[in-house]
Amino acid sequence: VDSRKSWIRQPIVVVLGHVDHGKTTLLDKIRGTAVTKKEPGEITQHVGASIVPASVLRKVAEPLKKYFPKVKIEIPGLLFVDTPGHELFSNLRRRGGSVADIAILVVDIMEGFKPQTWESIQILKERKVPFIVAANKIDRIPGWKSNPDQPFLETIRKQSPHIVNRLEELIYRLISQLYEAGFMAERFDRVKDFRTTVAIVPVSAKTGEGVPELLALLTGLVQRFMKKRLVTSDEPGKGVVLEVKEEPGLGTTIDVIIYDGVIHRGDTIVVGGKDKPIVTKVRALLMPRPLQDMRAHEGKFVSVEQVVAATGVKISAPDLDDALAGSPIFVVSSEDKLEEYIKLVREEIESIRIKTDNIGVVVKADTLGTLEAVVEALKRENIPVRLADVGPVSKNDVLEASVSEKQRPEYGVIIVFNVKVLHEAEEYAARENVKIFRHNIIYKLIEDYIGWVKQLREQEK
Ligand code: GDP
Ligand code: MG
């Protein structure tokens, strides 16, 4: 065991927040910073993720030296999961927690908290993911003078006093809303104890103001409080399936975040499938081809021999058609351990699926991660679940819902997230008086259902 090589891996960072508050713009800004400031040859693009290398963190932190002289960069960089939003975050699941080490909660400072902000906080709390708040769009404060890409602590000194006051008021509103959500919060440069207080960093994703502090703070926090969690070694890899994707010429592939250990081409892996765990062999590990190497006859990806944590990688292998996003993936260390890994994966998936004889609602979702998130949201509202599974709504789901419907009409429903309702199921549901709720935003889905239940109760009175 002592011969194992170990290292500190990149922390895995996710971006969450309400629609239009600037998640995509912020990620683009960070990605752009990484590309323009990296050293030649450094790779910043992964599959489903981007790396901000340590060299970039150093350059970005340079102007902050006079404010934070002690920050020394020990991590190899930060790994940002590229597609923001709840759905992908849900798939970053790991038993009792998340593969994400830290999150940025983006809030439009002009708007304050919105429904998905509250929902994001709830999810972060449940998955025990620490977070900082990016108070975005400071450039939209009327009269704000933009100083592109400068630290917040520099640009704030160049604003007139009434703008500074306005900013303070807006930050104070966020502090109150965070308090309502159960968190102490403070502007980042006034935080005394980062273990008990959420840091708010005023930024503009558009002009880049405050982004240096955002990156420096993420770095500082993970180095100070999470180093243990970030230590990994050349043991058999562990990861999570972010997405299952069809690729021309490759068939069904899985995009995976490896958060621990190493995976090699040819390794045997176990991953969760629709009916049972899938055991297969890695045919290829694929990374994005750097833009400058793009040639017409070559594909989007280059094949590599191995990757180490933390990495976003596409895995091509036989038999992945039934793979489930949100499932764990394990490299099998030796053949005699195969059964053990199969059992691990099976148990984990069984812990999310629900099949009971209780009176309750039926839930269908597109991935294990979203299924778990919808079920958790229902549990928060004390709504019982009879059946929860991944896949399209079938006649059998309607049958199950109609059993509930006969005893408790308010539970005789199917709650559908991002999957199809088969035609025959739709017809059958109409006949059986089983109502189907669908929405591609989790809180809206639950809200619609709760609203309908209220209406039902009003009618009964
Ligand atoms: P998302 O839905 O959270 O991913 O939000 P987007 O990144 O798509 O941003 C929504 C809109 O807000 C877009 O029109 C962006 O250009 C704009 N936006 C995002 N960040 C900023 C910012 O810091 N300042 C300004 N002025 N506009 C921004
Ligand atoms: Mg977006």
Side-chain angles (χ1 to χ4, degrees), residues 173-340:
R173 173 167 70 178
L174 293 183
I175 293 176
S176 319
Q177 290 175 322
L178 280 154
Y179 185 78
E180 236 180 284
F183 293 93
M184 301 279 286
E186 192 48 274
R187 203 173 91 178
F188 71 100
D189 51 320
R190 298 173 187 146
V191 173
K192 296 211 173 61
D193 185 351
F194 286 97
R195 280 166 303 187
T196 55
T197 311
V198 173
I200 301 173
V201 188
V203 301
S204 166
K206 194 172 163 195
T207 68
E209 287 160 283
V211 172
E213 282 103 332
L214 196 68
L215 294 175
L217 199 64
L218 286 170
T219 305
L221 289 177
V222 295
Q223 290 186 167
R224 193 134 141 229
F225 302 115
M226 283 181 203
K227 246 198 235 150
K228 247 199 205 144
R229 183 176 154 116
L230 298 180
V231 174
T232 185
S233 69
D234 53 359
E235 70 210 23
K238 290 184 190 141
V240 67
V241 179
L242 259 191
E243 285 187 89
V244 180
K245 270 190 189 162
E246 216 45 57
E247 290 289 348
L250 295 172
T252 306
T253 65
I254 49 177
D255 290 358
V256 167
I257 299 282
I258 300 291
Y259 61 82
D260 213 2
V262 186
I263 180 167
H264 304 86
R265 184 152 69 103
D267 277 350
T268 297
I269 52 172
V270 181
V271 58
K274 250 175 223 142
D275 303 315
K276 57 181 190 303
I278 299 164
V279 179
T280 185
K281 260 197 166 60
V282 176
R283 187 166 25 196
L285 294 169
L286 301 162
M287 295 294 282
R289 183 182 297 280
L291 273 177
Q292 62 269 28
D293 294 0
M294 280 287 191
R295 301 210 175 74
H297 63 281
E298 287 170 332
K300 286 187 289 181
F301 302 103
V302 276
S303 173
V304 296
E305 276 307 305
Q306 64 159 56
V307 298
V308 305
T311 299
V313 63
K314 183 183 282 297
I315 297 178
S316 160
D319 304 322
L320 289 176
D321 288 336
D322 285 343
L324 293 176
S327 153
I329 166 169
F330 295 114
V331 172
V332 177
S333 55
S334 65
E335 285 302 317
D336 55 311
K337 292 243 174 84
L338 183 60
E339 285 307 317
E340 211 175 291

Side-chain angles (χ1 to χ4, degrees), residues 18-25 136-137 139-140 204-206:
H18 193 74
V19 64
D20 283 345
H21 279 196
K23 301 179 294 292
T24 304
T25 311
N136 192 32
K137 309 200 190 184
D139 64 288
R140 290 196 50 220
S204 166
K206 194 172 163 195

Side-chain angles (χ1 to χ4, degrees), residues 144-151 154-156 158-159 207-209:
W144 183 271
K145 283 201 233 44
S146 287
N147 297 285
D149 298 322
Q150 283 204 12
E154 295 289 330
T155 187
I156 190 70
K158 297 172 186 163
Q159 311 298 327
T207 68
E209 287 160 283

Side-chain angles (χ1 to χ4, degrees), residues 29 161 186 438:
K29 187 75 196 177
E186 192 48 274
R438 24 188 151 188

Side-chain angles (χ1 to χ4, degrees), residues 359-431:
I359 299 303
V361 302
V362 171
V363 185
K364 297 301 291 272
D366 59 338
T367 75
L368 273 183
T370 55
L371 184 68
E372 185 177 44
V374 174
V375 168
E376 278 169 358
L378 289 166
K379 279 189 185 151
R380 279 203 292 278
E381 302 290 341
N382 293 316
I383 299 160
V385 177
R386 176 181 179 85
L387 179 91
D389 208 344
V390 174
V393 178
S394 68
K395 227 172 147 176
N396 182 59
D397 297 322
V398 179
L399 186 66
E400 291 291 332
S402 71
V403 175
S404 292
E405 201 275 334
K406 287 187 180 72
Q407 293 195 38
R408 298 283 297 272
E410 74 268 36
Y411 296 144
V413 303
I414 307 178
I415 302 211
V416 182
F417 186 84
N418 243 353
V419 285
K420 275 191 302 204
V421 179
L422 300 178
H423 186 63
E424 44 171 30
E426 196 108 45
E427 281 177 354
Y428 188 36
R431 256 182 290 141

